[in-house]
PDB file of all heavy atoms in Angstrom:
ATOM      1  N   MET A  92      37.296   8.013  31.922  1.00 95.00           N
ATOM      2  CA  MET A  92      38.034   7.098  32.809  1.00 95.00           C
ATOM      3  C   MET A  92      39.349   7.613  33.021  1.00 95.00           C
ATOM      4  O   MET A  92      39.509   8.766  33.436  1.00 95.00           O
ATOM      5  CB  MET A  92      38.011   5.739  32.210  1.00 95.00           C
ATOM      6  CG  MET A  92      36.695   5.174  32.085  1.00 95.00           C
ATOM      7  SD  MET A  92      36.425   3.358  31.488  1.00 95.00           S
ATOM      8  CE  MET A  92      36.578   2.512  33.176  1.00 95.00           C
ATOM      9  N   ALA A  93      40.403   6.968  32.680  1.00 93.00           N
ATOM     10  CA  ALA A  93      41.785   7.617  32.763  1.00 93.00           C
ATOM     11  C   ALA A  93      41.948   8.703  31.744  1.00 93.00           C
ATOM     12  O   ALA A  93      42.820   9.641  31.921  1.00 93.00           O
ATOM     13  CB  ALA A  93      42.862   6.588  32.637  1.00 93.00           C
ATOM     14  N   GLY A  94      41.280   8.669  30.712  1.00 92.00           N
ATOM     15  CA  GLY A  94      41.388   9.702  29.703  1.00 92.00           C
ATOM     16  C   GLY A  94      39.956   9.629  28.873  1.00 92.00           C
ATOM     17  O   GLY A  94      39.034   9.289  29.482  1.00 92.00           O
ATOM     18  N   GLU A  95      40.049   9.959  27.581  1.00 91.00           N
ATOM     19  CA  GLU A  95      38.868  10.035  26.711  1.00 91.00           C
ATOM     20  C   GLU A  95      38.895   8.929  25.721  1.00 91.00           C
ATOM     21  O   GLU A  95      37.857   8.986  24.833  1.00 91.00           O
ATOM     22  CB  GLU A  95      38.630  11.425  26.243  1.00 91.00           C
ATOM     23  CG  GLU A  95      38.406  12.483  27.236  1.00 91.00           C
ATOM     24  CD  GLU A  95      38.185  13.839  26.639  1.00 91.00           C
ATOM     25  OE1 GLU A  95      38.090  14.064  25.460  1.00 91.00           O
ATOM     26  OE2 GLU A  95      37.971  14.788  27.389  1.00 91.00           O
ATOM     27  N   HIS A  96      39.712   8.060  25.769  1.00 92.00           N
ATOM     28  CA  HIS A  96      39.646   6.904  24.753  1.00 92.00           C
ATOM     29  C   HIS A  96      38.603   5.914  25.128  1.00 92.00           C
ATOM     30  O   HIS A  96      37.971   5.306  24.281  1.00 92.00           O
ATOM     31  CB  HIS A  96      41.018   6.211  24.622  1.00 92.00           C
ATOM     32  CG  HIS A  96      41.928   6.960  23.791  1.00 92.00           C
ATOM     33  ND1 HIS A  96      42.965   7.770  24.257  1.00 92.00           N
ATOM     34  CD2 HIS A  96      42.101   6.962  22.408  1.00 92.00           C
ATOM     35  CE1 HIS A  96      43.614   8.324  23.198  1.00 92.00           C
ATOM     36  NE2 HIS A  96      43.100   7.848  22.144  1.00 92.00           N
ATOM     37  N   VAL A  97      38.434   5.760  26.403  1.00 93.00           N
ATOM     38  CA  VAL A  97      37.350   4.854  26.919  1.00 93.00           C
ATOM     39  C   VAL A  97      36.357   5.753  27.842  1.00 93.00           C
ATOM     40  O   VAL A  97      36.917   6.240  28.716  1.00 93.00           O
ATOM     41  CB  VAL A  97      37.866   3.607  27.649  1.00 93.00           C
ATOM     42  CG1 VAL A  97      36.750   2.816  28.001  1.00 93.00           C
ATOM     43  CG2 VAL A  97      38.952   2.935  26.832  1.00 93.00           C
ATOM     44  N   LEU A  98      35.082   5.775  27.545  1.00 95.00           N
ATOM     45  CA  LEU A  98      34.321   6.545  28.310  1.00 95.00           C
ATOM     46  C   LEU A  98      33.148   5.638  28.858  1.00 95.00           C
ATOM     47  O   LEU A  98      32.751   4.648  28.161  1.00 95.00           O
ATOM     48  CB  LEU A  98      33.533   7.658  27.500  1.00 95.00           C
ATOM     49  CG  LEU A  98      34.549   8.495  26.906  1.00 95.00           C
ATOM     50  CD1 LEU A  98      33.846   9.465  25.758  1.00 95.00           C
ATOM     51  CD2 LEU A  98      35.204   9.524  27.864  1.00 95.00           C
ATOM     52  N   LEU A  99      32.542   5.972  30.014  1.00 94.00           N
ATOM     53  CA  LEU A  99      31.300   5.316  30.427  1.00 94.00           C
ATOM     54  C   LEU A  99      30.104   6.104  30.073  1.00 94.00           C
ATOM     55  O   LEU A  99      29.964   7.342  30.052  1.00 94.00           O
ATOM     56  CB  LEU A  99      31.298   5.343  31.939  1.00 94.00           C
ATOM     57  CG  LEU A  99      32.204   4.276  32.747  1.00 94.00           C
ATOM     58  CD1 LEU A  99      32.140   4.616  34.216  1.00 94.00           C
ATOM     59  CD2 LEU A  99      31.984   2.954  32.372  1.00 94.00           C
ATOM     60  N   LEU A 100      29.119   5.402  29.453  1.00 96.00           N
ATOM     61  CA  LEU A 100      27.916   6.059  28.982  1.00 96.00           C
ATOM     62  C   LEU A 100      26.825   5.833  29.964  1.00 96.00           C
ATOM     63  O   LEU A 100      26.413   4.600  30.278  1.00 96.00           O
ATOM     64  CB  LEU A 100      27.325   5.575  27.725  1.00 96.00           C
ATOM     65  CG  LEU A 100      26.338   6.440  26.968  1.00 96.00           C
ATOM     66  CD1 LEU A 100      26.887   7.765  26.518  1.00 96.00           C
ATOM     67  CD2 LEU A 100      25.874   5.748  25.738  1.00 96.00           C
ATOM     68  N   LYS A 101      26.241   6.756  30.798  1.00 96.00           N
ATOM     69  CA  LYS A 101      25.303   6.573  31.737  1.00 96.00           C
ATOM     70  C   LYS A 101      24.238   7.616  31.844  1.00 96.00           C
ATOM     71  O   LYS A 101      24.516   8.724  31.150  1.00 96.00           O
ATOM     72  CB  LYS A 101      25.902   6.519  33.263  1.00 96.00           C
ATOM     73  CG  LYS A 101      26.853   5.350  33.445  1.00 96.00           C
ATOM     74  CD  LYS A 101      26.239   4.039  33.435  1.00 96.00           C
ATOM     75  CE  LYS A 101      27.335   2.923  33.484  1.00 96.00           C
ATOM     76  NZ  LYS A 101      26.624   1.622  33.348  1.00 96.00           N
ATOM     77  N   ARG A 102      23.166   7.540  32.507  1.00 97.00           N
ATOM     78  CA  ARG A 102      22.244   8.505  32.676  1.00 97.00           C
ATOM     79  C   ARG A 102      22.165   9.101  34.036  1.00 97.00           C
ATOM     80  O   ARG A 102      22.223   8.402  35.003  1.00 97.00           O
ATOM     81  CB  ARG A 102      20.743   7.956  32.396  1.00 97.00           C
ATOM     82  CG  ARG A 102      19.594   9.008  32.240  1.00 97.00           C
ATOM     83  CD  ARG A 102      18.289   8.351  32.050  1.00 97.00           C
ATOM     84  NE  ARG A 102      18.152   7.582  30.720  1.00 97.00           N
ATOM     85  CZ  ARG A 102      17.856   8.150  29.527  1.00 97.00           C
ATOM     86  NH1 ARG A 102      17.556   9.514  29.605  1.00 97.00           N
ATOM     87  NH2 ARG A 102      17.762   7.435  28.380  1.00 97.00           N
ATOM     88  N   ILE A 103      22.040  10.425  34.105  1.00 97.00           N
ATOM     89  CA  ILE A 103      22.017  11.212  35.341  1.00 97.00           C
ATOM     90  C   ILE A 103      20.643  10.957  36.066  1.00 97.00           C
ATOM     91  O   ILE A 103      19.578  11.258  35.492  1.00 97.00           O
ATOM     92  CB  ILE A 103      22.190  12.601  35.181  1.00 97.00           C
ATOM     93  CG1 ILE A 103      23.656  12.780  34.644  1.00 97.00           C
ATOM     94  CG2 ILE A 103      22.096  13.375  36.535  1.00 97.00           C
ATOM     95  CD1 ILE A 103      24.106  14.274  34.261  1.00 97.00           C
ATOM     96  N   ILE A 104      20.560  10.421  37.231  1.00 96.00           N
ATOM     97  CA  ILE A 104      19.347  10.359  37.947  1.00 96.00           C
ATOM     98  C   ILE A 104      19.342  11.210  39.262  1.00 96.00           C
ATOM     99  O   ILE A 104      18.354  11.365  39.884  1.00 96.00           O
ATOM    100  CB  ILE A 104      18.915   8.842  38.313  1.00 96.00           C
ATOM    101  CG1 ILE A 104      19.935   8.157  39.127  1.00 96.00           C
ATOM    102  CG2 ILE A 104      18.591   8.043  37.065  1.00 96.00           C
ATOM    103  CD1 ILE A 104      19.459   6.888  39.809  1.00 96.00           C
ATOM    104  N   GLY A 105      20.557  11.687  39.575  1.00 96.00           N
ATOM    105  CA  GLY A 105      20.645  12.588  40.824  1.00 96.00           C
ATOM    106  C   GLY A 105      21.613  13.687  40.543  1.00 96.00           C
ATOM    107  O   GLY A 105      22.625  13.446  39.862  1.00 96.00           O
ATOM    108  N   VAL A 106      21.156  14.904  40.973  1.00 97.00           N
ATOM    109  CA  VAL A 106      21.958  16.010  40.780  1.00 97.00           C
ATOM    110  C   VAL A 106      22.476  16.597  42.190  1.00 97.00           C
ATOM    111  O   VAL A 106      21.903  16.139  43.127  1.00 97.00           O
ATOM    112  CB  VAL A 106      21.299  17.170  39.985  1.00 97.00           C
ATOM    113  CG1 VAL A 106      20.929  16.782  38.496  1.00 97.00           C
ATOM    114  CG2 VAL A 106      20.069  17.651  40.770  1.00 97.00           C
TER     115      VAL A 106
END
Side-chain angles (χ1 to χ4, degrees):
Chain A
M92 299 187 83
E95 291 187 1
H96 279 96
V97 184
L98 302 167
L99 287 176
L100 191 69
K101 298 287 174 189
R102 192 180 293 272
I103 295 175
I104 60 166
V106 295

